[in-house]
Amino acid sequence: MDKKRIETAMKEIIIAIGEDPEREGLQETPARVARMFEEVFAGLEKDPSIHAKKVFHEDNSEVVLVKDISFTSMCEHHFLPFYGKGHIAYIPRDGRVVGLSKVARILEDISKRPQMQERITNDVADTLMDTLNPQGVMVILEGDHMCMNIRGVKKPGSSTVTKATRGAYKENYELRKEIMDMINS
């Protein structure tokens, strides 16, 4: 990440909005913004599939659900944050499971990019399907978008829910219902 270039651009933005980048409160803002961008866009330099490569073998073919995983991302349309929680379920094939933290790390790496919630949802599902080869995957994200809350339509309190289903979850309504019941319990 080119932090110096970000600093230069941020200084120009400060000038463009009619502020003085040499004012005491703004002098260090370009550097702070560059460090913040490095953090919130850290997923650009990561391969989320790495987290699903280390598998364990358990005598298990029942659902694994990790729910209420917090995530934050940055809307690629307005560069405003959105955040929420994710629920990720999969049915192991041949007893192949991953560490529970790895499921959360996949969501983390994918969300730390300029994003759309719909893409995050699909990319998490595809990453698990491609690397773990489970019988099925279901991903649900619930997000609050600052681009909806503080600008444009200005509807604070609204939330967006996206869902991606693969394999057995795409084909079987009862399996989807089971996950929804587990999430809502």
Side-chain angles (χ1 to χ4, degrees):
M1 190 157 305
D2 189 341
K3 291 198 299 189
K4 279 293 177 200
R5 194 169 181 185
I6 294 168
E7 288 181 37
T8 300
M10 190 63 223
K11 188 173 182 177
E12 286 300 314
I13 289 171
I14 291 170
I15 293 167
I17 65 169
E19 264 288 1
D20 177 7
E22 298 307 318
R23 184 167 62 79
E24 182 181 9
L26 293 173
Q27 287 175 357
E28 296 178 30
T29 297
R32 281 193 293 270
V33 170
R35 288 191 306 272
M36 182 262 306
F37 276 14
E38 185 175 48
E39 182 179 334
V40 300
F41 297 128
L44 287 167
E45 299 175 0
K46 294 183 180 179
D47 175 7
S49 69
I50 195 78
H51 302 299
K53 299 214 187 272
K54 172 72 173 157
V55 297
F56 303 97
H57 296 279
E58 292 293 324
D59 186 21
N60 181 25
S61 61
E62 294 291 324
V63 66
V64 176
L65 169 64
V66 183
K67 70 180 199 172
D68 297 329
I69 307 165
S70 64
F71 75 93
T72 59
S73 192
M74 192 73 84
C75 165
E76 68 183 28
H77 299 131
H78 303 99
F79 266 50
L80 286 170
F82 65 97
Y83 57 91
K85 57 186 175 178
H87 316 286
I88 303 170
Y90 71 94
I91 302 171
R93 183 185 306 276
D94 302 323
R96 292 170 41 95
V97 297
V98 295
L100 299 176
S101 69
K102 304 306 184 195
V103 174
R105 288 181 191 278
I106 290 169
L107 174 57
E108 179 79 4
D109 285 357
I110 292 170
S111 66
K112 294 296 184 195
R113 305 169 181 180
Q115 276 289 16
M116 291 176 50
Q117 183 174 323
E118 298 89 338
R119 184 181 311 119
I120 297 171
T121 309
N122 283 304
D123 286 353
V124 169
D126 292 339
T127 298
L128 282 168
M129 281 302 287
D130 294 345
T131 56
L132 192 56
N133 190 30
Q135 296 177 51
V137 172
M138 185 165 165
V139 178
I140 298 173
L141 296 185
E142 302 173 42
D144 293 325
H145 294 250
M146 291 299 98
C147 59
M148 286 273 296
N149 293 348
I150 65 170
R151 58 151 308 278
V153 70
K154 295 183 183 127
K155 296 299 178 195
S158 63
S159 63
T160 301
V161 179
T162 53
K163 175 183 72 147
T165 55
R166 305 289 187 269
Y169 286 109
K170 189 169 195 77
E171 301 159 5
N172 188 321
Y173 169 79
E174 289 302 316
L175 289 174
R176 291 192 304 274
K177 184 178 179 331
E178 175 187 32
I179 294 304
M180 294 307 297
D181 290 345
M182 290 171 72
I183 290 169
N184 293 321
S185 67

